[in-house]
């Protein structure tokens, strides 16, 4: 028996299973921020949609256009300033963006049923999770 061959196979296998714990910690933090922002978006959208007065005040007036285009303005703002922002400022901008998206998407709760919105959300979240795992494991 050639034990040196076994050692080289073991060494190459251990190199393949090397895991970057710093990257894992970073990605978990990113996913936590995304999850919190999705919850903020959903709660604001559902809250606005459940209040006919607020929904009518936003979507029944000229304020509708401000609510529709505010997330886009926020994207432009964040993309131009992101590298010079502090971490806390970037987190605040993300939460403001999530809140604006909730206001913008609140009309969807009036048009579609809660069941269809939940179904599409879970399909999208599952696809994102699967693609994220695929991209992380294959480095593509």
């Amino acid at each position: 028996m050639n034990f040196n061959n076994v050692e080289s196979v073991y060494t190459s296998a251990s190199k393949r299973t090397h895991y970057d714990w710093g990257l894992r910690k970073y990605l978990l933090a990113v996913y936590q921020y995304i999850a919190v922002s999705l919850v903020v978006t959903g709660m604001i959208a559902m809250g606005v949609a459940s209040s006919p007065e607020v929904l009518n005040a936003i979507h029944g007036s000229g304020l509708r256009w401000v609510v529709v285009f505010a997330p886009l303005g926020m994207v432009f703002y964040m993309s131009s300033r992101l590298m010079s922002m502090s971490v806390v400022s970037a987190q605040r901008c993300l939460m403001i963006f999530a809140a604006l998206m909730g206001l913008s998407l609140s009309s969807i709760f009036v048009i579609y049923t809660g069941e269809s919105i939940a179904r599409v959300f879970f399909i999208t979240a599952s696809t994102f999770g699967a693609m994220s795992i695929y991209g992380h494991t294959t480095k593509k």
Side-chain angles (χ1 to χ4, degrees), residues 3 13-14 16 26 31 49 58 86-88 93 98 103 117 126 128:
F3 291 106
S14 67
R16 279 195 307 245
Y26 174 76
Y31 290 139
I58 291 173
S86 68
V87 173
V88 173
C93 283
L103 288 173
I117 292 170
S126 300
F128 173 79

Side-chain angles (χ1 to χ4, degrees), residues 4 18 27 32 35 49 53 71 111-113 115 140:
N4 291 333
H18 178 274
L27 286 175
Q32 287 172 351
E53 297 83 21
I111 299 169
Y112 298 102
T113 64
E115 181 183 331
K140 291 186 179 182

Side-chain angles (χ1 to χ4, degrees), residues 36-67:
V36 169
S37 64
L38 283 173
V39 168
V40 168
T41 299
M43 296 301 286
I44 288 178
M46 196 167 46
V48 169
S50 65
S51 172
E53 297 83 21
V54 176
L55 189 66
N56 192 30
I58 291 173
H59 296 288
S61 67
L63 188 57
R64 164 184 58 212
W65 297 110
V66 173
V67 169

Side-chain angles (χ1 to χ4, degrees), residues 83-135:
M83 293 308 209
S84 62
M85 283 183 181
S86 68
V87 173
V88 173
S89 295
Q91 291 169 344
R92 285 182 185 150
C93 283
L94 176 64
M95 290 304 125
I96 291 169
F97 175 75
L100 290 171
M101 282 302 297
L103 288 173
S104 182
L105 294 174
S106 61
S107 63
I108 291 175
F109 281 84
V110 175
I111 299 169
Y112 298 102
T113 64
E115 181 183 331
S116 65
I117 292 170
R119 182 181 309 132
V120 170
F121 174 79
F122 287 115
I123 289 169
T124 305
S126 300
T127 303
F128 173 79
M131 293 295 103
S132 179
I133 291 169
Y134 174 77

Side-chain angles (χ1 to χ4, degrees), residues 63-79:
L63 188 57
R64 164 184 58 212
W65 297 110
V66 173
V67 169
V68 167
F69 289 112
L72 182 62
M74 197 67 189
V75 166
F76 287 139
Y77 174 77
M78 287 190 308
S79 64

